[in-house]
Amino acid sequence: MKRTVVTAILTMVLLGCRGSPGSPGPVGFINQTQHSGTDLQAIWTEAQQSVAQKIDLNPLQRLSNNVPPNMRPGDPRALSVEPHQLLVAAEPDVSSEVLFAATGEHRSDPTGMIACPQPCNARYSTAYSFYHPPLTKYAASWEFAGDNFNVILEYEFENHILSALGYDMTWR
């Protein structure tokens, strides 16, 4: 009898450690890059610091429309936002032929662009992110293209942080 009670209590304790069904997963990345988890964490830290200093809410809108910047003061809460099982992975670049047929834009291979699925604001991009489930995909050719990989991921990680803090992501 005592053994059954102890087993039942331990089972309840262990099940209770899982958290609620809507709670985020463990902190960290699902790293499908050729970079280390330490590299990704360093880029995430840069993104946290950037958002804590200044927020640009409409960089994409300014590219296509002649509108003023929507700049906000930094949000110090960014320093406490962590990735929760954020999938980070390369996606093969679209070919120059596909890109030209779809957009009329000439680029040599590798194009540095990937198709950006809905609800993206652009048809093709260097990278994109979704927040539920959390993922960031980037064009494979950027993986070892100097500092570009870090810059691209920092922007996408900023987007994850801003989304977690409740900002409007329409023009990010």
Side-chain angles (χ1 to χ4, degrees), residues 80-165:
S80 64
V81 176
E82 294 295 338
H84 291 277
Q85 296 300 288
L86 169 57
L87 170 66
V88 183
E91 192 168 301
D93 295 33
V94 297
S95 70
S96 58
E97 294 83 16
V98 168
L99 187 64
F100 180 73
T103 67
E105 182 179 347
H106 290 282
R107 283 184 178 234
S108 60
D109 288 319
T111 61
M113 303 293 277
I114 55 175
C116 188
Q118 290 298 322
C120 290
N121 288 329
R123 290 177 62 193
Y124 294 93
S125 180
T126 58
Y128 65 87
S129 291
F130 290 130
Y131 311 111
H132 305 287
L135 69 85
T136 291
K137 297 278 187 117
Y138 58 91
S141 65
W142 292 109
E143 183 96 31
F144 292 105
D147 289 340
N148 292 324
F149 177 79
N150 292 17
V151 170
I152 290 166
L153 282 192
E154 182 177 335
Y155 176 82
E156 295 302 327
F157 289 175
E158 287 173 6
N159 290 343
H160 281 279
I161 294 165
L162 290 167
S163 175
L165 294 174

Side-chain angles (χ1 to χ4, degrees), residues 28-94:
F29 299 96
I30 299 172
N31 184 359
Q32 295 180 359
T33 74
Q34 296 181 43
H35 288 76
S36 70
T38 303
D39 292 340
L40 295 184
Q41 187 60 51
I43 297 168
W44 183 270
T45 300
E46 288 295 318
Q48 287 176 307
Q49 292 170 355
S50 176
V51 171
Q53 293 172 10
K54 178 176 63 173
I55 301 169
D56 181 353
L57 288 176
N58 69 337
L60 293 178
Q61 186 181 34
R62 290 195 319 271
L63 289 175
S64 58
N65 306 320
N66 193 16
V67 297
N70 184 0
M71 303 299 283
R72 303 284 171 90
D75 189 332
R77 297 178 302 159
L79 299 173
S80 64
V81 176
E82 294 295 338
H84 291 277
Q85 296 300 288
L86 169 57
L87 170 66
V88 183
E91 192 168 301
D93 295 33
V94 297

